[in-house]
Amino acid sequence: MSKLLCKPNTTEISSGVTLVHDVTSENSPLEYVGFKVVDLTPGATYTEELGKVECCIVALTGKITVSDQEVTFENIGTRESVFEKIPTDSVYVSNERKFVVEAVSQARVALCYSQSYQQLPTKLIKAEDNGIENRGKYSNKRLVHNILPDSDPSANSLLVVEVFTESGNWSSYPPHKHDQDNLPHESFLEESYYHEMNPRQGFVFQRVYTDDRSIDETMTVENGDVVLVPAGYHPVAVPDGYESYYLNVMAGPTRIWKFHNEPAHEWILERK
Ligand SMILES: O=C(O)C[C@@H](O)[C@H](O)C(=O)CO
């Protein structure tokens, strides 16, 4: 099994709270990005005290109430399935704060982490505040919801975005990377991909590869899997008949998404 492909590994950590993924710097090749997926039954609560990390809590599905013990955002979350393709609500919580997520309905929540040393205000990122983009043409069409883009100064390190790729299409394509701390040309950002497919028995292929091929893995990715991108290009191919959803978390030394397309494939963008 690839070291970059994480299968769901469900553990009930407290009554009604199931940890589905738990990616940390201790158990993965990622240093800047951490990621969890938590399922909650109605009324169940998940509590966490953050150390030197900030967290973006994304209500993937279902309704939740989120509190940092000073402010509370009640009944947030907008969808029963990510494939409703509408933006959802999220909450940014800064380092050294405690937060509580309570499920109002059955809920799946993504917790996106990165290092952070300077406190910022807790913030509700409303669904309607997501920047929506339709990117690409030909067999490269995808819909993007920008939850925490680099133009939004609400976080110190975290970048969070969700992407829907149409059946038979490609995304993160032509292949691009962001693995050199060499601004203004390229930024260094690690990345995680949390994948879902519609219908759920679908699969996608994701290749992660560096210029020197010290990393070169092509993975068959199934519903609920997480792919880790410590470095390199990371295109996704979606078979005919299936739609793809993924949630990306990116972080690195500088909070700028400046990517570099693989020159051999850049002509794909230049087609009329
Ligand atoms: O295909 C897209 O436009 C999505 C990707 O940019 C994805 O968010 C990513 O690879 C970020 O580096």
Side-chain angles (χ1 to χ4, degrees), residues 133 135 140 142 144 161-163 165 170-173 176-178 189 191 193 206 234-235 246 248 250 257 259:
E133 282 178 66
R135 292 186 191 152
N140 203 17
R142 63 264 193 223
V144 177
V161 59
E162 56 182 8
V163 178
T165 309
W170 290 67
S171 58
S172 297
Y173 187 81
H176 71 253
K177 70 179 180 79
H178 31 75
L189 295 170
E191 187 163 8
Y193 276 70
Q206 186 161 21
H234 38 273
Y246 52 77
N248 291 142
M250 289 182 275
W257 182 47
F259 60 86

Side-chain angles (χ1 to χ4, degrees), residues 5 10 12 17 31 38 45 49 81 87 96 99-100 105 123 136 140 203-204 210 226 228 232-233 235 246 252:
L5 179 64
T10 56
E12 190 169 22
V17 182
E31 192 186 329
V38 177
T45 56
E49 274 185 55
S81 159
E96 286 142 319
F99 69 83
V100 181
S105 65
K123 185 181 168 187
N140 203 17
F203 56 87
V204 302
T210 50
V226 169
L228 307 177
Y233 306 97
Y246 52 77

Side-chain angles (χ1 to χ4, degrees), residues 123 125 129 147-156 158-159 255:
K123 185 181 168 187
I125 303 161
D129 294 337
I147 297 173
L148 258 181
D150 60 5
S151 54
D152 177 345
S154 309
N156 284 316
L158 274 174
L159 299 168
R255 191 168 176 266

